[in-house]
Amino acid sequence: MAVACFFFDETWSYRSWQKRGSEEEKIREKLTSLIRVASRGGNFLLNIGPKGDGSVVDFEKDVLLSIGKWLDKNKEAIYGTDPDPFHISFKWGSLTSRPNKIYLHLLSAPENGVITLPGLTGKINDVYVLGENKKGKFSQNAAGVTINVPEGLDIDKEFKVIVIEFANGYAVPPANIIAFTKAPLILDSHNAFKYYSNSGIDYNNRYQSTVKELWTLKPSKTGTIVPVIYYTNEEKGKVIDVQVNGKTTAVTLNGSNAEKLKNDPSAITWGDIYQSAPFIQE
């Protein structure tokens, strides 16, 4: 399956930055970009413009040192982490993760001091603020996990990270659950969950392309499902990766009859299937 690595590259002009806001605003702006890129599994590249003698101008130096200070405290939530495991966005900020931890990056104060993570399951050992001796209260039920943000966190002054620590991993609802009640069921770009890559030839000309499409089926009864791929003559000769239950088969669109995937249907095991209500992103 194709894997995309996203690079976020910003060019820093001292003169334009001075016009666009204060040092504190620049720290928050660049940290926001760093956190959001990390939450999407990417690498953040910040291109600064030194003076002619190679030194960094004072304004840029102060901002970079402040970002470094924040990273010293919160590096566990950035370096070597996995992307956000959820398929929905949250108004209060972004997430990064590890096999037994989820990091909640608070970029703004959650409404009523409460964070809801729909469909999240797993035995929670602890909830705390990274780098601070502050605990968070939590509750779990069939709908997911609710976190009560500790009082006294000055998020306007400094972005905070809340850690959810699990005893033995966690699970979140899969993306794009589609009910399969009767055949044929058409899976196409209109009902797919899309994975994107962002590319460009320079700073001003960029474009977004789809690198993978995902469907999660919820069948109404047991049985054998036989997938059929339809394509045009223009697509003959191309090779696509088809992944079923985590196993990938390269399929050549050569115009032949049936090609059996290298997956044994009887060996497929399914985990928990979650049915979530619609989510609205504003």
Side-chain angles (χ1 to χ4, degrees):
M1 188 61 65
V3 177
C5 185
F6 300 94
F7 293 87
F8 189 90
D9 190 352
E10 286 199 1
T11 299
W12 185 345
S13 167
Y14 167 70
R15 187 174 302 172
S16 64
W17 269 46
Q18 286 283 49
K19 290 180 179 179
R20 285 166 52 195
S22 67
E23 178 180 314
E24 183 178 338
E25 290 172 333
K26 296 310 146 198
I27 295 170
R28 296 178 68 86
E29 177 186 325
K30 297 307 171 189
L31 274 177
T32 297
S33 296
L34 168 63
I35 291 167
R36 287 180 173 168
V37 169
S39 75
R40 290 160 175 78
N43 295 293
F44 181 75
L45 308 179
L46 180 59
N47 180 23
I48 68 170
K51 294 189 287 187
D53 60 2
S55 62
V56 179
V57 298
D58 291 339
F59 180 79
E60 296 176 354
K61 180 187 71 175
D62 292 341
V63 173
L64 291 174
L65 289 174
S66 296
I67 293 174
K69 183 179 179 180
W70 184 89
L71 284 170
D72 282 341
K73 177 182 177 182
N74 299 283
K75 57 188 175 183
E76 178 189 327
I78 295 292
Y79 296 123
T81 56
D82 297 319
D84 181 351
F86 286 86
H87 303 286
I88 58 174
S89 60
F90 299 94
K91 291 182 178 181
W92 45 262
S94 299
L95 296 84
T96 53
S97 62
R98 296 184 189 275
N100 285 314
K101 291 182 178 180
I102 293 180
Y103 302 95
L104 313 178
H105 296 260
L106 304 187
L107 306 182
S108 62
E111 186 175 357
N112 299 321
V114 176
I115 294 175
T116 301
L117 302 172
L120 176 63
T121 60
K123 178 176 173 51
I124 297 177
N125 277 344
D126 203 2
V127 175
Y128 55 92
V129 180
L130 189 60
E132 301 182 19
N133 188 24
K134 293 182 179 180
K135 299 287 187 178
K137 296 181 180 180
F138 67 91
S139 61
Q140 290 180 272
N141 55 36
V145 173
T146 299
I147 304 293
N148 292 95
V149 177
E151 295 182 358
L153 294 186
D154 191 354
I155 300 171
D156 291 333
K157 182 178 179 181
E158 178 189 40
F159 292 153
K160 303 293 183 178
V161 178
I162 293 179
V163 184
I164 307 176
E165 192 172 293
F166 295 86
N168 190 28
Y170 57 86
V172 300
N176 195 30
I177 301 173
I178 299 176
F180 184 21
T181 55
K182 63 178 181 178
L185 173 63
I186 299 177
L187 306 177
D188 55 24
S189 293
H190 297 291
N191 58 6
F193 181 87
K194 296 178 175 59
Y195 291 77
Y196 297 105
S197 176
N198 207 322
S199 306
I201 57 176
D202 54 39
Y203 291 115
N204 300 314
N205 296 282
R206 309 190 69 82
Y207 61 91
Q208 190 178 69
S209 57
T210 302
V211 295
K212 184 171 73 173
E213 294 181 333
L214 171 69
W215 303 268
T216 302
L217 302 186
K218 183 182 180 182
S220 59
K221 58 183 179 180
T222 59
T224 300
I225 300 174
V226 180
V228 179
I229 299 175
Y230 295 93
Y231 54 92
T232 64
N233 288 330
E234 287 75 11
E235 295 169 306
K236 282 187 177 180
K238 294 183 179 179
V239 179
I240 62 173
D241 289 336
V242 178
Q243 187 180 81
V244 178
N245 196 41
K247 295 183 179 180
T248 303
T249 301
V251 177
T252 301
L253 306 180
N254 55 18
S256 62
N257 293 324
E259 178 172 340
K260 186 176 180 180
L261 300 181
K262 298 176 183 177
N263 290 292
D264 181 6
S266 63
I268 293 178
T269 58
W270 303 98
D272 295 332
I273 297 295
Y274 302 84
Q275 184 66 56
S276 301
F279 297 104
I280 299 176
Q281 178 180 351
E282 295 181 355

